PDB file of all heavy atoms in Angstrom:
ATOM      1  N   TYR O  15     -44.930 179.020 108.913  1.00 96.00           N
ATOM      2  CA  TYR O  15     -44.637 178.449 110.184  1.00 96.00           C
ATOM      3  C   TYR O  15     -44.587 179.612 111.267  1.00 96.00           C
ATOM      4  O   TYR O  15     -45.235 179.522 112.389  1.00 96.00           O
ATOM      5  CB  TYR O  15     -43.291 177.674 110.161  1.00 96.00           C
ATOM      6  CG  TYR O  15     -42.783 177.338 111.483  1.00 96.00           C
ATOM      7  CD1 TYR O  15     -43.333 176.176 112.206  1.00 96.00           C
ATOM      8  CD2 TYR O  15     -41.682 177.917 112.024  1.00 96.00           C
ATOM      9  CE1 TYR O  15     -42.747 175.765 113.292  1.00 96.00           C
ATOM     10  CE2 TYR O  15     -41.093 177.488 113.218  1.00 96.00           C
ATOM     11  CZ  TYR O  15     -41.660 176.464 113.922  1.00 96.00           C
ATOM     12  OH  TYR O  15     -41.155 176.013 115.102  1.00 96.00           O
ATOM     13  N   ALA O  16     -43.873 180.649 110.931  1.00 95.00           N
ATOM     14  CA  ALA O  16     -43.662 181.855 111.923  1.00 95.00           C
ATOM     15  C   ALA O  16     -45.068 182.378 112.153  1.00 95.00           C
ATOM     16  O   ALA O  16     -45.132 182.954 113.308  1.00 95.00           O
ATOM     17  CB  ALA O  16     -42.721 182.826 111.281  1.00 95.00           C
ATOM     18  N   ALA O  17     -46.008 182.429 111.198  1.00 93.00           N
ATOM     19  CA  ALA O  17     -47.232 183.069 111.399  1.00 93.00           C
ATOM     20  C   ALA O  17     -48.229 182.128 112.069  1.00 93.00           C
ATOM     21  O   ALA O  17     -49.427 182.612 112.367  1.00 93.00           O
ATOM     22  CB  ALA O  17     -47.804 183.557 110.094  1.00 93.00           C
ATOM     23  N   GLY O  18     -47.821 180.962 112.335  1.00 94.00           N
ATOM     24  CA  GLY O  18     -48.761 180.033 113.002  1.00 94.00           C
ATOM     25  C   GLY O  18     -49.864 179.450 111.992  1.00 94.00           C
ATOM     26  O   GLY O  18     -50.964 179.071 112.355  1.00 94.00           O
ATOM     27  N   ASN O  19     -49.557 179.369 110.706  1.00 95.00           N
ATOM     28  CA  ASN O  19     -50.613 178.998 109.728  1.00 95.00           C
ATOM     29  C   ASN O  19     -50.596 177.492 109.278  1.00 95.00           C
ATOM     30  O   ASN O  19     -51.389 177.058 108.550  1.00 95.00           O
ATOM     31  CB  ASN O  19     -50.371 179.833 108.445  1.00 95.00           C
ATOM     32  CG  ASN O  19     -50.776 181.245 108.563  1.00 95.00           C
ATOM     33  OD1 ASN O  19     -51.543 181.529 109.496  1.00 95.00           O
ATOM     34  ND2 ASN O  19     -50.178 182.143 107.697  1.00 95.00           N
ATOM     35  N   LEU O  20     -49.549 176.728 109.865  1.00 96.00           N
ATOM     36  CA  LEU O  20     -49.411 175.351 109.492  1.00 96.00           C
ATOM     37  C   LEU O  20     -50.093 174.469 110.577  1.00 96.00           C
ATOM     38  O   LEU O  20     -50.223 174.778 111.713  1.00 96.00           O
ATOM     39  CB  LEU O  20     -47.950 175.034 109.436  1.00 96.00           C
ATOM     40  CG  LEU O  20     -47.117 175.645 108.422  1.00 96.00           C
ATOM     41  CD1 LEU O  20     -45.632 175.125 108.515  1.00 96.00           C
ATOM     42  CD2 LEU O  20     -47.649 175.427 106.933  1.00 96.00           C
ATOM     43  N   ALA O  21     -50.633 173.276 110.046  1.00 97.00           N
ATOM     44  CA  ALA O  21     -51.098 172.212 110.924  1.00 97.00           C
ATOM     45  C   ALA O  21     -50.004 171.710 111.951  1.00 97.00           C
ATOM     46  O   ALA O  21     -48.857 171.783 111.542  1.00 97.00           O
ATOM     47  CB  ALA O  21     -51.707 171.098 110.140  1.00 97.00           C
ATOM     48  N   GLU O  22     -50.406 171.219 113.018  1.00 97.00           N
ATOM     49  CA  GLU O  22     -49.486 170.836 114.074  1.00 97.00           C
ATOM     50  C   GLU O  22     -48.393 169.752 113.517  1.00 97.00           C
ATOM     51  O   GLU O  22     -47.267 170.073 113.843  1.00 97.00           O
ATOM     52  CB  GLU O  22     -50.222 170.125 115.118  1.00 97.00           C
ATOM     53  CG  GLU O  22     -49.343 169.626 116.379  1.00 97.00           C
ATOM     54  CD  GLU O  22     -50.023 168.940 117.415  1.00 97.00           C
ATOM     55  OE1 GLU O  22     -51.328 168.650 117.264  1.00 97.00           O
ATOM     56  OE2 GLU O  22     -49.388 168.395 118.426  1.00 97.00           O
ATOM     57  N   ALA O  23     -48.840 168.872 112.674  1.00 97.00           N
ATOM     58  CA  ALA O  23     -47.899 167.923 112.137  1.00 97.00           C
ATOM     59  C   ALA O  23     -46.786 168.587 111.269  1.00 97.00           C
ATOM     60  O   ALA O  23     -45.619 168.201 111.364  1.00 97.00           O
ATOM     61  CB  ALA O  23     -48.601 166.806 111.275  1.00 97.00           C
ATOM     62  N   PHE O  24     -47.282 169.610 110.415  1.00 98.00           N
ATOM     63  CA  PHE O  24     -46.225 170.281 109.616  1.00 98.00           C
ATOM     64  C   PHE O  24     -45.322 171.168 110.549  1.00 98.00           C
ATOM     65  O   PHE O  24     -44.178 171.416 110.262  1.00 98.00           O
ATOM     66  CB  PHE O  24     -46.901 171.054 108.605  1.00 98.00           C
ATOM     67  CG  PHE O  24     -47.464 170.155 107.447  1.00 98.00           C
ATOM     68  CD1 PHE O  24     -48.868 170.124 107.260  1.00 98.00           C
ATOM     69  CD2 PHE O  24     -46.561 169.461 106.594  1.00 98.00           C
ATOM     70  CE1 PHE O  24     -49.372 169.271 106.274  1.00 98.00           C
ATOM     71  CE2 PHE O  24     -47.085 168.694 105.613  1.00 98.00           C
ATOM     72  CZ  PHE O  24     -48.477 168.550 105.405  1.00 98.00           C
ATOM     73  N   ASN O  25     -45.935 171.695 111.584  1.00 97.00           N
ATOM     74  CA  ASN O  25     -45.052 172.570 112.576  1.00 97.00           C
ATOM     75  C   ASN O  25     -43.915 171.691 113.065  1.00 97.00           C
ATOM     76  O   ASN O  25     -42.788 172.055 113.242  1.00 97.00           O
ATOM     77  CB  ASN O  25     -45.895 172.941 113.715  1.00 97.00           C
ATOM     78  CG  ASN O  25     -46.635 174.222 113.522  1.00 97.00           C
ATOM     79  OD1 ASN O  25     -46.277 175.056 112.626  1.00 97.00           O
ATOM     80  ND2 ASN O  25     -47.727 174.509 114.227  1.00 97.00           N
ATOM     81  N   LEU O  26     -44.267 170.390 113.320  1.00 98.00           N
ATOM     82  CA  LEU O  26     -43.277 169.455 113.870  1.00 98.00           C
ATOM     83  C   LEU O  26     -42.181 169.236 112.816  1.00 98.00           C
ATOM     84  O   LEU O  26     -40.942 169.243 113.210  1.00 98.00           O
ATOM     85  CB  LEU O  26     -43.924 168.159 114.278  1.00 98.00           C
ATOM     86  CG  LEU O  26     -43.052 167.036 114.739  1.00 98.00           C
ATOM     87  CD1 LEU O  26     -42.269 167.444 115.929  1.00 98.00           C
ATOM     88  CD2 LEU O  26     -43.869 165.779 114.999  1.00 98.00           C
TER      89      LEU O  26
END
Side-chain angles (χ1 to χ4, degrees):
Y15 172 74
N19 291 337
L20 295 179
E22 183 185 0
F24 287 110
N25 274 339
L26 175 60

